[in-house]
Amino acid sequence: EVQCDSLDVDGAADITGNVTLHANLDLQDNDYLHLGAGDDFKMVHNGTDTFVQNTTGNVYITNSSDDKVIALQTDDGSGGVANYVECNGIVGETRLFHYGNSKLATKSFGIDVTGEVQCDSLDVDGTANIQGSLTLQSDLLMGDNDLIKVGDSDDLQISHNGAVNIIDGRFHPIELRHQSEVHIKCVDDGAVELY
């Protein structure tokens, strides 16, 4: 056993056993921490930036502690730090944050977005359930035989079949009004009334 107050090794040190440190491992600027037989994983700080580099295989970051998170944090815009990405083992969600405020979270049914979704295009293959008003700043484009359905039982249907424009009141009369005044009324099995 060698006991000393300090050890200065100018060349390579080949240690076969474990190295146990009771203080910091103090690497200087541009000194690499190498891992792997071929130095495949490297970490370095160059005095300005820090780099984590892997040249072989996948990179896994694992937290096996029950009900904990893995969080990526950075400046919160006010001198502190905040979460920006979080893998949450408590509720099973992956969350994206804006300055620490949750904006998107994965759920068992899909995703939950807090705030507004802005995108260049939106392709929905299934049903879209919109609870609020729908405001269009451009055209509503529909194909032949596509229906606009209105009413709890789809009582009013508007469509175009390629040759004819169809307004179908189905179970109720159709009225053309201006404000509250009826101008034209189409009655099932009855007359077309003009006012």
Side-chain angles (χ1 to χ4, degrees), residues 62-84:
T62 303
N63 182 0
S64 58
S65 181
D66 289 342
D67 295 333
K68 302 299 179 187
V69 301
I70 295 174
L72 296 181
Q73 298 180 327
T74 191
D75 173 50
D76 67 356
S78 301
V81 294
N83 288 0
Y84 278 69

Side-chain angles (χ1 to χ4, degrees), residues 47-171:
T48 304
D49 301 310
T50 302
F51 299 89
V52 178
Q53 303 168 344
N54 180 63
T55 58
T56 303
N58 299 317
V59 176
Y60 295 93
I61 299 173
T62 303
N63 182 0
S64 58
S65 181
D66 289 342
D67 295 333
K68 302 299 179 187
V69 301
I70 295 174
L72 296 181
Q73 298 180 327
T74 191
D75 173 50
D76 67 356
S78 301
V81 294
N83 288 0
Y84 278 69
V85 179
E86 179 182 281
C87 301
N88 189 306
I90 301 167
V91 293
E93 298 176 354
T94 299
R95 297 175 179 170
L96 299 180
F97 296 81
H98 181 265
Y99 284 132
N101 297 309
S102 180
K103 294 299 178 183
L104 185 144
T106 59
K107 301 286 186 178
S108 60
F109 58 81
I111 63 169
D112 184 15
V113 176
T114 301
E116 182 177 305
V117 176
Q118 296 183 0
C119 55
D120 294 330
S121 65
L122 180 64
D123 185 354
V124 179
D125 294 325
T127 301
N129 185 355
I130 300 172
Q131 298 294 325
S133 298
L134 176 63
T135 301
L136 300 177
Q137 301 294 333
S138 187
D139 302 328
L140 174 63
L141 303 176
M142 301 177 65
D144 289 347
N145 300 307
D146 291 343
L147 296 173
I148 297 175
K149 298 180 180 181
V150 182
D152 291 342
S153 300
D154 301 333
D155 299 326
L156 173 63
Q157 298 185 1
I158 302 172
S159 65
H160 176 77
N161 66 8
V164 179
N165 299 314
I166 302 169
I167 300 174
D168 186 354
R170 296 175 62 83
F171 310 113

